[in-house]
Amino acid sequence: VAAEQDAHAGVKKVEAAQRVYGRYSRWCLFVGIGLASFIYSLDASTTYAYLTFATSFFGKHSLISSITVAQSLIIAVGKPVIAKVADVSSRGTAYVGVLIFYVLGYIVIASAPNVTIIAGGIVLYAVYVGLQLLTQIIIADITTLAWRGLVVSLVSAPFLINAYIGPNISAAVLDSIGWRWGYIMFAILVPISLAPLIITLLWAERKAKILALLDSPKPRSRSISSQRSLRHGSMIARLLRSAEQLDLVGLTLLGFAVALTLLPLTISKNVNGGWKNGSIIAMFVMGIVLLVMFAVWDLRYASRPVIAPRFVRNRSVVCAALIGFFDFMSFFLTYTYLYSFVLVVKPWSLVNATYFIQVQSVALTFFGILAGLSMRFLHRYKYVLVIGLVIRLIGVAMMIHSRGGNASDAELVWTQILQGFGGGFAAVSSQVGAQASVHHADVAIITAVVLLLTEIGGAVGNACAGAIWSNTMPANLEKYLPWLTDEKRAELFGSITLAASYPLGDPVREGVISAYDDTMKIMVTIATVLSVIPVLLALAMPNWYLGDRQNAIDAADLTGRSVLEDDSEDEDEP
């Protein structure tokens, strides 16, 4: 950590800002976090419905998985980039950059003339996850371990409201002005909502600088004259220094490795020969090779790596990252086509179908708050983590039966409640456990690394769901609707609105339901098996004490000063 001080200037600014905030400015910070969390949750509660109808508008509903895989790739690779920017520059600067990508992405989607442009907009918009990541990082900056789980969970509280507001908004938008205006609304609302938080962060950083509260990072090995030449040298020298601090080589290798490994899983069905096609195999093999190259580069050669060797040796970080990976892989296997499934299988309105999709988010939020309260008084996180993952496993296993076309409404809802219960406990506790095991300088990148593996797991789950859907659904439609032409079955496969337009009891609608049933059960069975792995990993994690310090391994407070040093200074005073 000491050898990377010049790559942690943003952390120093945060610690200096802790000495700048007064009562009113601190309230402005919390209000800003609240507004950012509210608009983020409102976005998540509405825009996913717009994507379903946007793809169906162009007759490309089956491409949802491919688009969401591309989105997951950007989200995954973008996390360490955003964390690095926040560490090297500042939290406020990172927020501004994320906001620009967010607005541009939604403008592109809203004006898209075809599904390809929508995919491009989704890729730009995917950087929006930086809003969530930066909020989590700031909370870790300003809270002690004892309170962190509760504050993290309270930030998600707007989902309890927006889960009910969101469906009504999305349904009203879709029924009246259309999905394009749904995206335009957020391109306007998000910058307004983030303004208080960004202004407060930038103000605190500037005031800390004016008051000379920032310590200049010590040079690693270069002489003072060499440092000056870099500071005041050519633009090329500055860019090279920034590239070194951000580990652009590692980030580039990681991005291409993840993309080339996962994309073949979703495009194989649309390529002649599928997995027998040499291009598909070459793409997948190249992805694995680049992943190995990334590991070698970061663990042996990078001076300021994305994934430092000390992280790989940290049992808490490794287990938390793998828990997130397998949990999200399991989740997206069952969730990617869930909205389409209920629209076809159940006679629900758009509003009720959207309410159902939000059940798990509401449960995640509510039980996440309970998890935060539990950790506040237990001062331990492992008990909460293990219990949560076991409950989540039960919820996923129940879905094997509830995915059937004859499943009751109550049975479907309970599977979502149980998954939300367990997921809420697990998400909060695993994050706090990972953050407790590192110094403050590593909190941002560790949070990003854990979420990186989590998002990659989601991308793998999405890709697997898309591969299963693309490779089984056409055959199932042919099995249950043999009297239809190939062209008609292709239309049913590509458009959810066409499939749902037939009334329940109609032979075509019933055949589509049976096809959905067979395909979804494959996804859920695999998801259940995968859900066992996180439970075993949780048992291997150390049970850190959650006290009144920034982390569990040193004596630093929120300003970066040692608590032991402060105590000794007090004892020396007469």
Side-chain angles (χ1 to χ4, degrees), residues 142-199:
I142 65 177
T143 60
T144 60
L145 287 174
W147 290 97
R148 191 169 304 162
L150 180 58
V151 176
V152 166
S153 59
L154 285 174
V155 166
S156 300
F159 274 105
L160 296 173
I161 300 173
N162 289 332
Y164 298 98
I165 296 177
N168 288 283
I169 292 176
S170 60
V173 168
L174 290 169
D175 290 338
S176 56
I177 57 179
W179 56 269
R180 295 184 188 274
W181 279 99
Y183 288 109
I184 292 174
M185 283 176 10
F186 283 99
I188 298 171
L189 291 174
V190 170
I192 296 173
S193 301
L194 288 183
L197 176 57
I198 293 175
I199 291 172

Side-chain angles (χ1 to χ4, degrees), residues 552-571:
I553 62 173
D554 62 31
D557 62 12
L558 298 179
T559 65
R561 301 176 63 186
S562 172
V563 177
L564 297 179
E565 290 178 4
D566 291 343
D567 292 341
S568 64
E569 289 176 4
D570 293 339
E571 291 175 1

Side-chain angles (χ1 to χ4, degrees), residues 444-497:
I445 194 63
I446 273 300
T447 304
V449 166
V450 172
L451 293 177
L452 165 66
L453 267 295
T454 300
E455 293 294 345
I456 291 177
V460 173
N462 254 317
C464 291
I468 293 170
W469 184 272
S470 298
N471 286 281
T472 63
M473 193 62 181
N476 287 333
L477 286 172
E478 184 177 1
K479 173 183 176 182
Y480 291 105
L481 299 171
W483 64 89
L484 295 182
T485 63
D486 292 340
E487 291 77 11
K488 193 63 177 179
R489 286 195 294 266
E491 290 180 17
L492 289 170
F493 176 71
S495 176
I496 184 66
T497 53

Side-chain angles (χ1 to χ4, degrees), residues 81 98 135 152 210 447 559 572:
V81 174
V98 168
T135 301
V152 166
I210 292 173
T447 304
T559 65
D572 292 339

Side-chain angles (χ1 to χ4, degrees), residues 16 228 258 280-281 327 355 374 380-381 388 398 438-439 485 534:
R228 286 175 179 170
V258 173
I280 294 294
I281 298 174
D327 184 56
Y355 279 151
S374 300
R380 301 286 179 180
Y381 76 94
M398 283 180 59
V438 298
H439 299 281
T485 63

Side-chain angles (χ1 to χ4, degrees), residues 5-21 29 84-94 138 141-142 200-210 212-217 245 440-441 558-560:
Q5 285 188 31
D6 61 335
H8 296 298
V11 178
K12 296 298 181 182
K13 291 179 181 179
V14 169
E15 293 173 346
Q18 287 292 321
R19 287 174 270 175
V20 167
Y21 290 122
L29 180 64
K84 278 283 191 178
V85 171
D87 274 349
V88 173
S89 58
S90 73
R91 308 318 197 210
T93 303
I138 291 173
D141 291 333
I142 65 177
T200 303
L201 289 171
L202 295 177
W203 167 84
E205 292 167 7
R206 179 174 175 78
K207 186 172 182 180
K209 183 178 180 180
I210 292 173
L213 297 177
L214 292 171
D215 297 325
S216 299
Q245 291 174 334
H440 188 196
L558 298 179
T559 65

Side-chain angles (χ1 to χ4, degrees), residues 352-368:
N352 288 334
T354 311
Y355 279 151
F356 169 76
I357 293 296
Q358 297 297 337
V359 166
Q360 188 166 167
S361 295
V362 171
L364 276 164
T365 303
F366 178 77
F367 289 106

